[in-house]
PDB file of all heavy atoms in Angstrom:
ATOM      1  N   THR A   1      14.550  11.304  17.092  1.00  0.00           N
ATOM      2  CA  THR A   1      15.480  10.248  17.252  1.00  0.00           C
ATOM      3  C   THR A   1      15.752   9.635  18.653  1.00  0.00           C
ATOM      4  O   THR A   1      16.389   8.593  18.729  1.00  0.00           O
ATOM      5  CB  THR A   1      16.849  10.807  16.680  1.00  0.00           C
ATOM      6  OG1 THR A   1      17.293  11.882  17.433  1.00  0.00           O
ATOM      7  CG2 THR A   1      16.747  11.099  15.152  1.00  0.00           C
ATOM      8  N   SER A   2      15.236  10.222  19.604  1.00  0.00           N
ATOM      9  CA  SER A   2      15.552   9.694  20.892  1.00  0.00           C
ATOM     10  C   SER A   2      14.513   8.755  21.566  1.00  0.00           C
ATOM     11  O   SER A   2      14.638   8.369  22.722  1.00  0.00           O
ATOM     12  CB  SER A   2      15.803  10.863  21.919  1.00  0.00           C
ATOM     13  OG  SER A   2      14.512  11.637  22.096  1.00  0.00           O
ATOM     14  N   GLY A   3      13.561   8.230  20.652  1.00  0.00           N
ATOM     15  CA  GLY A   3      12.687   7.324  21.118  1.00  0.00           C
ATOM     16  C   GLY A   3      11.166   7.587  20.785  1.00  0.00           C
ATOM     17  O   GLY A   3      10.916   8.518  20.225  1.00  0.00           O
ATOM     18  N   ASP A   4      10.398   6.581  21.026  1.00  0.00           N
ATOM     19  CA  ASP A   4       8.975   6.651  20.741  1.00  0.00           C
ATOM     20  C   ASP A   4       8.241   7.889  21.250  1.00  0.00           C
ATOM     21  O   ASP A   4       7.456   8.432  20.596  1.00  0.00           O
ATOM     22  CB  ASP A   4       8.244   5.413  21.077  1.00  0.00           C
ATOM     23  CG  ASP A   4       8.706   4.201  20.309  1.00  0.00           C
ATOM     24  OD1 ASP A   4       9.345   4.343  19.261  1.00  0.00           O
ATOM     25  OD2 ASP A   4       8.427   3.072  20.816  1.00  0.00           O
ATOM     26  N   GLU A   5       8.504   8.208  22.488  1.00  0.00           N
ATOM     27  CA  GLU A   5       7.826   9.345  23.087  1.00  0.00           C
ATOM     28  C   GLU A   5       8.038  10.632  22.413  1.00  0.00           C
ATOM     29  O   GLU A   5       7.291  11.439  22.115  1.00  0.00           O
ATOM     30  CB  GLU A   5       8.276   9.560  24.609  1.00  0.00           C
ATOM     31  CG  GLU A   5       7.504  10.559  25.345  1.00  0.00           C
ATOM     32  CD  GLU A   5       7.993  10.629  26.791  1.00  0.00           C
ATOM     33  OE1 GLU A   5       8.212   9.691  27.409  1.00  0.00           O
ATOM     34  OE2 GLU A   5       8.008  11.876  27.305  1.00  0.00           O
ATOM     35  N   ARG A   6       9.407  10.767  22.041  1.00  0.00           N
ATOM     36  CA  ARG A   6       9.742  12.125  21.262  1.00  0.00           C
ATOM     37  C   ARG A   6       9.235  11.959  19.794  1.00  0.00           C
ATOM     38  O   ARG A   6       8.964  12.998  19.271  1.00  0.00           O
ATOM     39  CB  ARG A   6      11.370  12.298  21.264  1.00  0.00           C
ATOM     40  CG  ARG A   6      11.812  12.889  22.555  1.00  0.00           C
ATOM     41  CD  ARG A   6      11.085  14.107  23.025  1.00  0.00           C
ATOM     42  NE  ARG A   6      11.442  15.257  22.259  1.00  0.00           N
ATOM     43  CZ  ARG A   6      11.014  16.477  22.545  1.00  0.00           C
ATOM     44  NH1 ARG A   6      10.131  16.779  23.472  1.00  0.00           N
ATOM     45  NH2 ARG A   6      11.347  17.480  21.703  1.00  0.00           N
ATOM     46  N   GLN A   7       9.207  10.776  19.226  1.00  0.00           N
ATOM     47  CA  GLN A   7       8.684  10.714  17.857  1.00  0.00           C
ATOM     48  C   GLN A   7       7.158  10.993  17.935  1.00  0.00           C
ATOM     49  O   GLN A   7       6.696  11.645  17.039  1.00  0.00           O
ATOM     50  CB  GLN A   7       8.902   9.238  17.321  1.00  0.00           C
ATOM     51  CG  GLN A   7       8.540   9.111  15.861  1.00  0.00           C
ATOM     52  CD  GLN A   7       9.270   9.922  14.979  1.00  0.00           C
ATOM     53  OE1 GLN A   7      10.474  10.190  15.158  1.00  0.00           O
ATOM     54  NE2 GLN A   7       8.689  10.484  13.904  1.00  0.00           N
ATOM     55  N   ASP A   8       6.407  10.541  18.952  1.00  0.00           N
ATOM     56  CA  ASP A   8       5.007  10.974  19.053  1.00  0.00           C
ATOM     57  C   ASP A   8       4.849  12.380  19.290  1.00  0.00           C
ATOM     58  O   ASP A   8       3.944  13.035  18.699  1.00  0.00           O
ATOM     59  CB  ASP A   8       4.389  10.183  20.262  1.00  0.00           C
ATOM     60  CG  ASP A   8       4.230   8.674  20.086  1.00  0.00           C
ATOM     61  OD1 ASP A   8       4.327   8.219  18.796  1.00  0.00           O
ATOM     62  OD2 ASP A   8       4.101   7.981  21.009  1.00  0.00           O
ATOM     63  N   PHE A   9       5.836  13.063  20.054  1.00  0.00           N
ATOM     64  CA  PHE A   9       5.707  14.513  20.227  1.00  0.00           C
ATOM     65  C   PHE A   9       5.961  15.166  18.917  1.00  0.00           C
ATOM     66  O   PHE A   9       5.266  16.152  18.531  1.00  0.00           O
ATOM     67  CB  PHE A   9       6.806  14.918  21.234  1.00  0.00           C
ATOM     68  CG  PHE A   9       6.888  16.395  21.449  1.00  0.00           C
ATOM     69  CD1 PHE A   9       6.082  17.055  22.331  1.00  0.00           C
ATOM     70  CD2 PHE A   9       7.875  17.122  20.875  1.00  0.00           C
ATOM     71  CE1 PHE A   9       6.150  18.378  22.467  1.00  0.00           C
ATOM     72  CE2 PHE A   9       7.964  18.512  21.049  1.00  0.00           C
ATOM     73  CZ  PHE A   9       7.051  19.118  21.841  1.00  0.00           C
ATOM     74  N   LYS A  10       6.920  14.705  18.124  1.00  0.00           N
ATOM     75  CA  LYS A  10       7.110  15.259  16.784  1.00  0.00           C
ATOM     76  C   LYS A  10       5.907  15.191  15.905  1.00  0.00           C
ATOM     77  O   LYS A  10       5.598  16.210  15.293  1.00  0.00           O
ATOM     78  CB  LYS A  10       8.378  14.576  16.090  1.00  0.00           C
ATOM     79  CG  LYS A  10       8.736  15.038  14.757  1.00  0.00           C
ATOM     80  CD  LYS A  10       9.962  14.468  14.225  1.00  0.00           C
ATOM     81  CE  LYS A  10      10.279  15.115  12.927  1.00  0.00           C
ATOM     82  NZ  LYS A  10      11.539  14.784  12.480  1.00  0.00           N
ATOM     83  N   TYR A  11       5.330  14.067  15.872  1.00  0.00           N
ATOM     84  CA  TYR A  11       4.129  13.930  14.974  1.00  0.00           C
ATOM     85  C   TYR A  11       3.061  14.869  15.448  1.00  0.00           C
ATOM     86  O   TYR A  11       2.409  15.513  14.579  1.00  0.00           O
ATOM     87  CB  TYR A  11       3.632  12.507  14.984  1.00  0.00           C
ATOM     88  CG  TYR A  11       4.464  11.526  14.107  1.00  0.00           C
ATOM     89  CD1 TYR A  11       4.650  10.265  14.639  1.00  0.00           C
ATOM     90  CD2 TYR A  11       5.104  11.941  12.962  1.00  0.00           C
ATOM     91  CE1 TYR A  11       5.467   9.334  13.869  1.00  0.00           C
ATOM     92  CE2 TYR A  11       5.862  11.089  12.297  1.00  0.00           C
ATOM     93  CZ  TYR A  11       6.073   9.736  12.666  1.00  0.00           C
ATOM     94  OH  TYR A  11       6.873   8.930  11.949  1.00  0.00           O
ATOM     95  N   ALA A  12       2.832  15.020  16.768  1.00  0.00           N
ATOM     96  CA  ALA A  12       1.817  15.876  17.250  1.00  0.00           C
ATOM     97  C   ALA A  12       2.141  17.312  16.952  1.00  0.00           C
ATOM     98  O   ALA A  12       1.402  18.145  16.497  1.00  0.00           O
ATOM     99  CB  ALA A  12       1.597  15.716  18.792  1.00  0.00           C
ATOM    100  N   TRP A  13       3.489  17.687  17.033  1.00  0.00           N
ATOM    101  CA  TRP A  13       3.991  19.028  16.784  1.00  0.00           C
ATOM    102  C   TRP A  13       3.746  19.326  15.299  1.00  0.00           C
ATOM    103  O   TRP A  13       3.318  20.374  14.948  1.00  0.00           O
ATOM    104  CB  TRP A  13       5.438  19.108  17.086  1.00  0.00           C
ATOM    105  CG  TRP A  13       5.921  20.553  17.172  1.00  0.00           C
ATOM    106  CD1 TRP A  13       5.992  21.324  18.211  1.00  0.00           C
ATOM    107  CD2 TRP A  13       6.520  21.315  16.140  1.00  0.00           C
ATOM    108  NE1 TRP A  13       6.593  22.576  18.003  1.00  0.00           N
ATOM    109  CE2 TRP A  13       6.813  22.633  16.619  1.00  0.00           C
ATOM    110  CE3 TRP A  13       6.666  21.141  14.750  1.00  0.00           C
ATOM    111  CZ2 TRP A  13       7.424  23.581  15.827  1.00  0.00           C
ATOM    112  CZ3 TRP A  13       7.286  22.065  13.961  1.00  0.00           C
ATOM    113  CH2 TRP A  13       7.637  23.346  14.517  1.00  0.00           C
ATOM    114  N   LEU A  14       4.090  18.362  14.407  1.00  0.00           N
ATOM    115  CA  LEU A  14       3.936  18.572  13.068  1.00  0.00           C
ATOM    116  C   LEU A  14       2.411  18.780  12.644  1.00  0.00           C
ATOM    117  O   LEU A  14       1.995  19.732  11.839  1.00  0.00           O
ATOM    118  CB  LEU A  14       4.399  17.416  12.150  1.00  0.00           C
ATOM    119  CG  LEU A  14       5.932  17.215  12.224  1.00  0.00           C
ATOM    120  CD1 LEU A  14       6.238  15.911  11.531  1.00  0.00           C
ATOM    121  CD2 LEU A  14       6.643  18.433  11.455  1.00  0.00           C
ATOM    122  N   ASP A  15       1.466  18.127  13.277  1.00  0.00           N
ATOM    123  CA  ASP A  15       0.036  18.335  13.001  1.00  0.00           C
ATOM    124  C   ASP A  15      -0.442  19.683  13.601  1.00  0.00           C
ATOM    125  O   ASP A  15      -1.069  20.435  12.887  1.00  0.00           O
ATOM    126  CB  ASP A  15      -0.725  17.225  13.784  1.00  0.00           C
ATOM    127  CG  ASP A  15      -0.634  15.837  13.065  1.00  0.00           C
ATOM    128  OD1 ASP A  15      -0.223  15.776  11.939  1.00  0.00           O
ATOM    129  OD2 ASP A  15      -0.998  14.824  13.826  1.00  0.00           O
ATOM    130  N   GLU A  16      -0.001  20.141  14.712  1.00  0.00           N
ATOM    131  CA  GLU A  16      -0.225  21.313  15.335  1.00  0.00           C
ATOM    132  C   GLU A  16       0.312  22.483  14.365  1.00  0.00           C
ATOM    133  O   GLU A  16      -0.341  23.478  14.107  1.00  0.00           O
ATOM    134  CB  GLU A  16       0.351  21.611  16.709  1.00  0.00           C
ATOM    135  CG  GLU A  16      -0.399  20.670  17.768  1.00  0.00           C
ATOM    136  CD  GLU A  16       0.367  20.743  19.066  1.00  0.00           C
ATOM    137  OE1 GLU A  16       1.563  21.334  19.134  1.00  0.00           O
ATOM    138  OE2 GLU A  16      -0.120  20.151  20.058  1.00  0.00           O
ATOM    139  N   CYS A  17       1.582  22.335  13.944  1.00  0.00           N
ATOM    140  CA  CYS A  17       2.166  23.305  13.101  1.00  0.00           C
ATOM    141  C   CYS A  17       1.382  23.510  11.873  1.00  0.00           C
ATOM    142  O   CYS A  17       1.303  24.596  11.347  1.00  0.00           O
ATOM    143  CB  CYS A  17       3.693  22.980  13.004  1.00  0.00           C
ATOM    144  SG  CYS A  17       4.538  24.244  12.157  1.00  0.00           S
ATOM    145  N   PHE A  18       1.088  22.358  11.193  1.00  0.00           N
ATOM    146  CA  PHE A  18       0.322  22.404   9.950  1.00  0.00           C
ATOM    147  C   PHE A  18      -0.948  23.276  10.069  1.00  0.00           C
ATOM    148  O   PHE A  18      -1.271  24.071   9.245  1.00  0.00           O
ATOM    149  CB  PHE A  18       0.097  20.967   9.386  1.00  0.00           C
ATOM    150  CG  PHE A  18      -0.620  20.964   8.154  1.00  0.00           C
ATOM    151  CD1 PHE A  18       0.111  21.196   6.947  1.00  0.00           C
ATOM    152  CD2 PHE A  18      -1.963  20.666   8.029  1.00  0.00           C
ATOM    153  CE1 PHE A  18      -0.604  21.142   5.682  1.00  0.00           C
ATOM    154  CE2 PHE A  18      -2.725  20.538   6.904  1.00  0.00           C
ATOM    155  CZ  PHE A  18      -1.977  20.798   5.611  1.00  0.00           C
ATOM    156  N   THR A  19      -1.737  22.894  11.087  1.00  0.00           N
ATOM    157  CA  THR A  19      -2.912  23.650  11.337  1.00  0.00           C
ATOM    158  C   THR A  19      -2.705  25.079  11.638  1.00  0.00           C
ATOM    159  O   THR A  19      -3.435  25.890  11.050  1.00  0.00           O
ATOM    160  CB  THR A  19      -3.734  22.926  12.530  1.00  0.00           C
ATOM    161  OG1 THR A  19      -4.044  21.544  12.239  1.00  0.00           O
ATOM    162  CG2 THR A  19      -5.042  23.579  12.860  1.00  0.00           C
ATOM    163  N   TRP A  20      -1.772  25.401  12.494  1.00  0.00           N
ATOM    164  CA  TRP A  20      -1.438  26.780  12.799  1.00  0.00           C
ATOM    165  C   TRP A  20      -0.915  27.569  11.657  1.00  0.00           C
ATOM    166  O   TRP A  20      -1.431  28.734  11.407  1.00  0.00           O
ATOM    167  CB  TRP A  20      -0.333  26.743  13.860  1.00  0.00           C
ATOM    168  CG  TRP A  20       0.345  28.110  14.254  1.00  0.00           C
ATOM    169  CD1 TRP A  20      -0.368  29.128  14.912  1.00  0.00           C
ATOM    170  CD2 TRP A  20       1.593  28.513  14.052  1.00  0.00           C
ATOM    171  NE1 TRP A  20       0.540  30.148  15.031  1.00  0.00           N
ATOM    172  CE2 TRP A  20       1.794  29.760  14.503  1.00  0.00           C
ATOM    173  CE3 TRP A  20       2.690  27.919  13.263  1.00  0.00           C
ATOM    174  CZ2 TRP A  20       2.902  30.558  14.438  1.00  0.00           C
ATOM    175  CZ3 TRP A  20       3.826  28.617  13.313  1.00  0.00           C
ATOM    176  CH2 TRP A  20       3.944  29.870  13.778  1.00  0.00           C
ATOM    177  N   LEU A  21      -0.184  27.019  10.709  1.00  0.00           N
ATOM    178  CA  LEU A  21       0.380  27.704   9.623  1.00  0.00           C
ATOM    179  C   LEU A  21      -0.700  27.997   8.648  1.00  0.00           C
ATOM    180  O   LEU A  21      -0.860  29.007   8.040  1.00  0.00           O
ATOM    181  CB  LEU A  21       1.465  26.961   8.967  1.00  0.00           C
ATOM    182  CG  LEU A  21       2.835  26.879   9.555  1.00  0.00           C
ATOM    183  CD1 LEU A  21       3.780  25.859   8.977  1.00  0.00           C
ATOM    184  CD2 LEU A  21       3.336  28.301   9.633  1.00  0.00           C
ATOM    185  N   ASN A  22      -1.599  27.007   8.501  1.00  0.00           N
ATOM    186  CA  ASN A  22      -2.800  27.221   7.540  1.00  0.00           C
ATOM    187  C   ASN A  22      -3.656  28.347   7.963  1.00  0.00           C
ATOM    188  O   ASN A  22      -4.102  29.249   7.166  1.00  0.00           O
ATOM    189  CB  ASN A  22      -3.645  25.948   7.349  1.00  0.00           C
ATOM    190  CG  ASN A  22      -2.924  25.045   6.343  1.00  0.00           C
ATOM    191  OD1 ASN A  22      -2.400  25.460   5.335  1.00  0.00           O
ATOM    192  ND2 ASN A  22      -3.064  23.775   6.570  1.00  0.00           N
ATOM    193  N   LYS A  23      -3.938  28.537   9.278  1.00  0.00           N
ATOM    194  CA  LYS A  23      -4.732  29.652   9.879  1.00  0.00           C
ATOM    195  C   LYS A  23      -3.902  30.913   9.695  1.00  0.00           C
ATOM    196  O   LYS A  23      -4.387  32.010   9.313  1.00  0.00           O
ATOM    197  CB  LYS A  23      -5.054  29.383  11.349  1.00  0.00           C
ATOM    198  CG  LYS A  23      -5.998  28.391  11.567  1.00  0.00           C
ATOM    199  CD  LYS A  23      -6.220  28.315  13.078  1.00  0.00           C
ATOM    200  CE  LYS A  23      -7.236  27.156  13.456  1.00  0.00           C
ATOM    201  NZ  LYS A  23      -7.381  26.925  14.930  1.00  0.00           N
ATOM    202  N   LEU A  24      -2.643  30.886   9.890  1.00  0.00           N
ATOM    203  CA  LEU A  24      -1.795  32.059   9.854  1.00  0.00           C
ATOM    204  C   LEU A  24      -1.665  32.629   8.423  1.00  0.00           C
ATOM    205  O   LEU A  24      -1.593  33.836   8.214  1.00  0.00           O
ATOM    206  CB  LEU A  24      -0.443  31.706  10.447  1.00  0.00           C
ATOM    207  CG  LEU A  24       0.491  32.899  10.818  1.00  0.00           C
ATOM    208  CD1 LEU A  24      -0.098  33.726  11.876  1.00  0.00           C
ATOM    209  CD2 LEU A  24       1.932  32.296  11.292  1.00  0.00           C
ATOM    210  N   LYS A  25      -1.712  31.691   7.415  1.00  0.00           N
ATOM    211  CA  LYS A  25      -1.581  32.080   6.079  1.00  0.00           C
ATOM    212  C   LYS A  25      -2.805  32.995   5.604  1.00  0.00           C
ATOM    213  O   LYS A  25      -2.581  33.905   4.699  1.00  0.00           O
ATOM    214  CB  LYS A  25      -1.483  30.835   5.088  1.00  0.00           C
ATOM    215  CG  LYS A  25      -0.125  30.294   5.032  1.00  0.00           C
ATOM    216  CD  LYS A  25      -0.081  29.307   3.855  1.00  0.00           C
ATOM    217  CE  LYS A  25      -1.132  28.230   3.908  1.00  0.00           C
ATOM    218  NZ  LYS A  25      -0.860  27.109   3.016  1.00  0.00           N
ATOM    219  N   LYS A  26      -3.832  32.822   6.289  1.00  0.00           N
ATOM    220  CA  LYS A  26      -5.054  33.634   5.925  1.00  0.00           C
ATOM    221  C   LYS A  26      -4.818  35.002   6.414  1.00  0.00           C
ATOM    222  O   LYS A  26      -5.208  36.046   5.716  1.00  0.00           O
ATOM    223  CB  LYS A  26      -6.327  33.000   6.626  1.00  0.00           C
ATOM    224  CG  LYS A  26      -6.659  31.784   5.985  1.00  0.00           C
ATOM    225  CD  LYS A  26      -7.843  31.016   6.767  1.00  0.00           C
ATOM    226  CE  LYS A  26      -8.183  29.734   6.212  1.00  0.00           C
ATOM    227  NZ  LYS A  26      -9.023  28.921   6.975  1.00  0.00           N
ATOM    228  N   LYS A  27      -4.157  35.242   7.550  1.00  0.00           N
ATOM    229  CA  LYS A  27      -3.921  36.646   7.974  1.00  0.00           C
ATOM    230  C   LYS A  27      -2.627  37.214   7.444  1.00  0.00           C
ATOM    231  O   LYS A  27      -2.486  38.437   7.189  1.00  0.00           O
ATOM    232  CB  LYS A  27      -3.734  36.586   9.505  1.00  0.00           C
ATOM    233  CG  LYS A  27      -3.672  37.930  10.188  1.00  0.00           C
ATOM    234  CD  LYS A  27      -3.553  37.851  11.745  1.00  0.00           C
ATOM    235  CE  LYS A  27      -3.333  39.192  12.379  1.00  0.00           C
ATOM    236  NZ  LYS A  27      -3.162  39.155  13.773  1.00  0.00           N
ATOM    237  N   HIS A  28      -1.539  36.356   7.061  1.00  0.00           N
ATOM    238  CA  HIS A  28      -0.363  36.843   6.581  1.00  0.00           C
ATOM    239  C   HIS A  28      -0.038  35.986   5.312  1.00  0.00           C
ATOM    240  O   HIS A  28       0.740  34.970   5.365  1.00  0.00           O
ATOM    241  CB  HIS A  28       0.683  36.499   7.616  1.00  0.00           C
ATOM    242  CG  HIS A  28       0.599  37.325   8.795  1.00  0.00           C
ATOM    243  ND1 HIS A  28       0.961  38.627   9.113  1.00  0.00           N
ATOM    244  CD2 HIS A  28       0.034  36.852   9.989  1.00  0.00           C
ATOM    245  CE1 HIS A  28       0.679  38.942  10.270  1.00  0.00           C
ATOM    246  NE2 HIS A  28       0.156  37.910  10.933  1.00  0.00           N
ATOM    247  N   PRO A  29      -0.590  36.363   4.105  1.00  0.00           N
ATOM    248  CA  PRO A  29      -0.356  35.586   2.968  1.00  0.00           C
ATOM    249  C   PRO A  29       1.095  35.575   2.424  1.00  0.00           C
ATOM    250  O   PRO A  29       1.473  34.593   1.783  1.00  0.00           O
ATOM    251  CB  PRO A  29      -1.317  36.252   1.905  1.00  0.00           C
ATOM    252  CG  PRO A  29      -1.841  37.452   2.520  1.00  0.00           C
ATOM    253  CD  PRO A  29      -1.568  37.386   3.990  1.00  0.00           C
ATOM    254  N   LYS A  30       1.838  36.481   2.902  1.00  0.00           N
ATOM    255  CA  LYS A  30       3.280  36.525   2.524  1.00  0.00           C
ATOM    256  C   LYS A  30       4.118  35.980   3.656  1.00  0.00           C
ATOM    257  O   LYS A  30       4.496  36.618   4.518  1.00  0.00           O
ATOM    258  CB  LYS A  30       3.678  37.919   2.134  1.00  0.00           C
ATOM    259  CG  LYS A  30       3.057  38.463   0.828  1.00  0.00           C
ATOM    260  CD  LYS A  30       3.654  39.837   0.525  1.00  0.00           C
ATOM    261  CE  LYS A  30       3.029  40.286  -0.804  1.00  0.00           C
ATOM    262  NZ  LYS A  30       3.585  41.605  -1.145  1.00  0.00           N
ATOM    263  N   LEU A  31       4.099  34.677   3.734  1.00  0.00           N
ATOM    264  CA  LEU A  31       4.635  33.911   4.899  1.00  0.00           C
ATOM    265  C   LEU A  31       5.919  33.225   4.443  1.00  0.00           C
ATOM    266  O   LEU A  31       5.877  32.538   3.385  1.00  0.00           O
ATOM    267  CB  LEU A  31       3.583  32.894   5.342  1.00  0.00           C
ATOM    268  CG  LEU A  31       3.779  32.208   6.545  1.00  0.00           C
ATOM    269  CD1 LEU A  31       3.680  33.123   7.790  1.00  0.00           C
ATOM    270  CD2 LEU A  31       2.713  31.087   6.761  1.00  0.00           C
ATOM    271  N   ILE A  32       7.000  33.376   5.205  1.00  0.00           N
ATOM    272  CA  ILE A  32       8.203  32.692   4.894  1.00  0.00           C
ATOM    273  C   ILE A  32       8.441  31.799   6.143  1.00  0.00           C
ATOM    274  O   ILE A  32       8.526  32.350   7.313  1.00  0.00           O
ATOM    275  CB  ILE A  32       9.271  33.646   4.798  1.00  0.00           C
ATOM    276  CG1 ILE A  32       9.103  34.594   3.498  1.00  0.00           C
ATOM    277  CG2 ILE A  32      10.711  32.864   4.616  1.00  0.00           C
ATOM    278  CD1 ILE A  32      10.150  35.707   3.345  1.00  0.00           C
ATOM    279  N   LEU A  33       8.635  30.497   5.918  1.00  0.00           N
ATOM    280  CA  LEU A  33       8.878  29.562   6.991  1.00  0.00           C
ATOM    281  C   LEU A  33      10.244  28.990   6.642  1.00  0.00           C
ATOM    282  O   LEU A  33      10.582  28.461   5.710  1.00  0.00           O
ATOM    283  CB  LEU A  33       7.967  28.423   7.022  1.00  0.00           C
ATOM    284  CG  LEU A  33       8.251  27.273   7.922  1.00  0.00           C
ATOM    285  CD1 LEU A  33       8.218  27.724   9.399  1.00  0.00           C
ATOM    286  CD2 LEU A  33       7.230  26.068   7.733  1.00  0.00           C
ATOM    287  N   CYS A  34      11.259  29.214   7.657  1.00  0.00           N
ATOM    288  CA  CYS A  34      12.594  28.668   7.536  1.00  0.00           C
ATOM    289  C   CYS A  34      12.857  28.072   8.908  1.00  0.00           C
ATOM    290  O   CYS A  34      12.229  28.194   9.803  1.00  0.00           O
ATOM    291  CB  CYS A  34      13.575  29.714   7.154  1.00  0.00           C
ATOM    292  SG  CYS A  34      13.913  30.978   8.456  1.00  0.00           S
ATOM    293  N   GLY A  35      13.927  27.224   8.832  1.00  0.00           N
ATOM    294  CA  GLY A  35      14.430  26.577  10.106  1.00  0.00           C
ATOM    295  C   GLY A  35      15.013  25.330   9.843  1.00  0.00           C
ATOM    296  O   GLY A  35      15.387  24.920   8.722  1.00  0.00           O
TER     297      GLY A  35
END
């Protein structure tokens, strides 16, 4: 919400998080994500 730079950071974070969680699910199939 604070501008284009932070929105770009958010989109990059979401992409990184998605990739990371998919890898993590292979090692930890019982995964709970909250927040």
Side-chain angles (χ1 to χ4, degrees):
T1 58
S2 62
D4 290 343
E5 185 178 325
R6 285 305 289 181
Q7 187 63 34
D8 290 344
F9 177 82
K10 178 178 184 161
Y11 286 143
W13 196 91
L14 290 170
D15 288 342
E16 290 171 356
C17 188
F18 181 77
T19 301
W20 172 69
L21 287 170
N22 279 325
K23 286 181 188 174
L24 199 58
K25 281 192 306 189
K26 292 175 184 168
K27 185 176 178 185
H28 301 279
K30 292 183 179 178
L31 191 65
I32 299 171
L33 173 65
C34 69

